[in-house]
Amino acid sequence: MSQRTYYKTTENYGKLKITNIPYNLTTLALLLCFALPQANAQEFNNLDSAKIVQPGIDSLYASLADTVDTPADSVDVDSLTTEGPIETYIDYSAKDSIYYDVISGKVFLYGEAKVTYGQMSIEAAYIEYDMASNLVTAEGVPDSTGEVVGMPIFSEGSQTYNAEKMTYNMETQKGVINSIVTQQGDGYIQSGRVKKSPDEAFYAAQNIYTTCNLDHPHFGIRARKLKIVPDKYVISGPFNFELNDVPTPLGFAFGLFPFTKERNAGILAPQYGESADRGFYLRDGGFYLPMGDYMGLKLLGQIYSYGGWGLTTDLSYRKRYSFNGNLNFAYNKIVRQTDDLSRDESTDYWLRWSHSPQSKGSSRFSANLNVGSTNYNRNNSFNATDYISASFNSSVSYTKTFEGTPFSMGANIRVNQNVNTQITNMNPQANFAMRRIYPFKKKGSTSKSPLAQLNLSYSFDTKATITNNETGTSFPFTVYVEESDDDDIFDTSTDDEDDEIPDFFSNIGDYIQDAEYGAIHRIPISTNLTLLKYFQIAPSVNFNEYWFPKSYNYKWSDTKNAVEVDTLNGFARAYDYSGGASMSTRFYFFYYPVGQKVDRIRHMVTPSISYNYRPDFGDPRFGFYQNVQTDTTGTNFSQVSRYLGGIYGGPSAGRSSSVSLSLNNQLEAKVRSNKDSTDEYIKVPLLQSFGASTSYNFAADSFNLSNITFNARTTLFKNVPFMDGVSVNVSGTIDPYAWELEKIELDGDPDDDIEYKTTQRRINKYAWNAGQGIGSLNRASLNLSTSFSPPKDDKKGGEGGSGPRGQGGRAEEAERQDIEDNPGKYVDFNIPWSLRVQYTLGYSKQGFAEASVVQTMNFMGEVKLTEKWKVGIRSGYDFELKDFSFTSLNIWRDLHCWQMNLSWIPFGPRQSYNIDISVRSSLLQDLKLSKRNSWYDRL
């Protein structure tokens, strides 16, 4: 009976290289090297005939030529070398110990053992390697409680597999794995037994596919046989859907499921249902087409039984470190059945384009378009924000900076669309500018002299206004215009209020022909100087030149009893200039309250005064204005600009010599900290800003003093638990002039009891001289907003953070993108509750007229009822109308790998409810159960 000898390595890691030596010679070499059972590892280091240097720390060569220094005439080494299958090192390590069985040619690894061969690695609590058969066996071991720990983890390339036990042949690259868990994309495949082939394919039995990361999943697709090719596809035999271990009849005879990191074309399953006025439908079904490495295109369609249909294209593109964006266009042909069984047809369309560049280089292009037909969102949108929004703003811009120069240029198009008034304004703009330069300041100089601080800049701006709001140019007199195709602008006729304004984008060609455009040059020149050390003075001069595409010539006609307006098409220019100076300083006042809590209060006052002078550009010597006779008496004249309606305005008539005053205040307290240290103070803002401003025009013949404006801003209760402070904003306007009532006789029916009416008028008399106080408050607003939430606990994680497979809380790229695109589909159960409240009060009053008050409150909040239930509400209340605004209630239920969402709009034009129970993973997003009853659906 042969004696088996074990040797324990002094270090628990090493390398093993098996080359082209048959097993019988390998065994002979090992026997020769380990013939003395009394020898220890240190003694082998002293043997001249062995090249094993501390087995387990350097290398163990199991070849006769490399381990035994045999005389050349005794063994022909070259004759014994044949081509073998394994030609790289096998790295191994273990935390506890490594044993070698010399007789059987096996290596035993204990405690966090790991064997690596090329791109393949195996980790387990126990690993056994048979050098004769090149077979590796790995499994877990029971701990002191009897629970099996250190289950095998098999990795090959980018794939990782968890199993209970596995056997792998390094020569043939075949293996048998028991109870394996394979992750493919966002899902898992649990298999009872798997055979691995050399071509990286897996043949699995007793399988279930799921996106639930528990050892015992809540749901799955059960299949008896599978062929799995990692990162490529899964082929299945007969399969069916299983929910909580309960089989369902949902399934098919076979299946092919692609799992690849590359994008593939495919079919997108449609939604189905019945609309109240459009009939049965299939919606949002179509195809996905990858387009190169950076783009992907969705082609979606919808069809209704009453004849309606729609098409949507959704193009997404992304290039890392360069740009990303999305282009979506929807076109819907709507056919409705009305109450009298007649049919109403309409067409809706909407364009969304978002393009965000990476900030680099000297140029930048960005876009944010959100435009379409007026009724699109009311007829087609399921997004509450889009439905209640009255105005949509869009922009496309490009900027370019010329490096090494002060010059830059840019262009943009802005679109404002009001779906309530049906008015759309488009403003293309372009500009060329030179940033501020200091022509008299030497390079590197720090001089503060007025000449060194003299600076100037330049800008050229041009824009056009394209709109379907055809109001025309307003003249201060009756106008007669010869009939002409080009004179539609003076048409003062108005359509019925009920008439619908033509759609802007469908008729944009006509509106472009009627566009108003112009340009302006601006050259501001200024400098700075300090007076008496504390006063900052800034003199300035401004020059503006206006360019117009046309001008007007006015002439009174006795025969036509109106003013004839002659439009002079062609380039025209005008200019204006002004000059002035401003002075500002700061004062500090300190108050020392009685007590130890508040050390001091600092009051910072910033007064500012400025003077500006502008000549009268209505003077005939400039030629910018005309004095026009306006009636047959020949005594009434009106001064009118020859460039009326200019897109940048124009020179102003009347001399201006005005002084502007402003006063801003800040209050800040120095308060003792609540900490134990008695010498530590913190600054607490009491009043972040409070200011008032007005101006006085010495050149005006009346109403010299302008309205007094005031504003205040602060934050209250910042240290109240669970509250993010109360933001307070107050603003208003005070009219300093008096108002009086006036009775006007009526030329009506003599039998009518009402012989006069009472009107009010503003008089050129200060309110305080008329006994009306400082003036009348004609506008004021108050805005209060705050939010409530529990203190943040960064240490607290979600429930999914400790899943049995170590995959809790993971967010695959597709799911992260789905969360960003559809935030309403997801809810954070880690936040116990939150509430945001906003109160707005608006006041306006003109003289003795009745005041108009607008008072609203909006609120939005969420409450986590239990670990799995959460409720959210969004609503508001109008105190004047005594009615609620758009209100929605949402209820969420966390079902681990599933989620339930109830959305209810209890009243209003969109009264509805939706119930969705769906798989959370975006991979199986079509696996859901929905119940809807809304403005759109009957079901």
Side-chain angles (χ1 to χ4, degrees), residues 596-597 599 670-673 678-683:
Q596 297 182 351
K597 181 64 176 177
D599 179 67
K670 191 174 182 182
V671 181
R672 192 180 303 277
S673 175
T678 59
D679 298 328
E680 185 174 353
Y681 291 87
I682 58 175
K683 294 180 180 180

Side-chain angles (χ1 to χ4, degrees), residues 715-780:
T715 302
L716 305 176
F717 312 115
K718 292 191 68 174
N719 296 322
V720 175
F722 308 113
M723 181 187 290
D724 193 22
V726 178
S727 177
V728 182
N729 286 274
V730 180
S731 63
T733 303
I734 298 175
D735 185 354
Y737 288 93
W739 290 74
E740 68 176 14
L741 296 175
E742 183 181 13
K743 293 183 179 181
I744 300 177
E745 294 185 358
L746 298 176
D747 296 330
D749 189 348
D751 297 331
D752 196 340
D753 295 336
I754 303 176
E755 299 178 354
Y756 62 89
K757 69 176 182 179
T758 301
T759 62
Q760 63 175 1
R761 67 187 182 95
R762 190 172 183 241
I763 61 176
N764 189 31
K765 185 177 182 180
Y766 293 123
W768 50 84
N769 293 331
Q772 297 181 8
I774 192 176
S776 58
L777 182 65
N778 60 10
R779 185 192 64 82

Side-chain angles (χ1 to χ4, degrees), residues 269-275 279-284 303 928-930 932 937 939:
Q271 301 178 19
Y272 61 89
E274 184 182 3
S275 171
F280 296 99
Y281 65 77
L282 291 175
R283 190 175 67 224
D284 297 334
I303 188 170
K928 62 183 178 181
L929 177 66
S930 299
R932 302 179 182 272
D937 299 301
L939 300 181

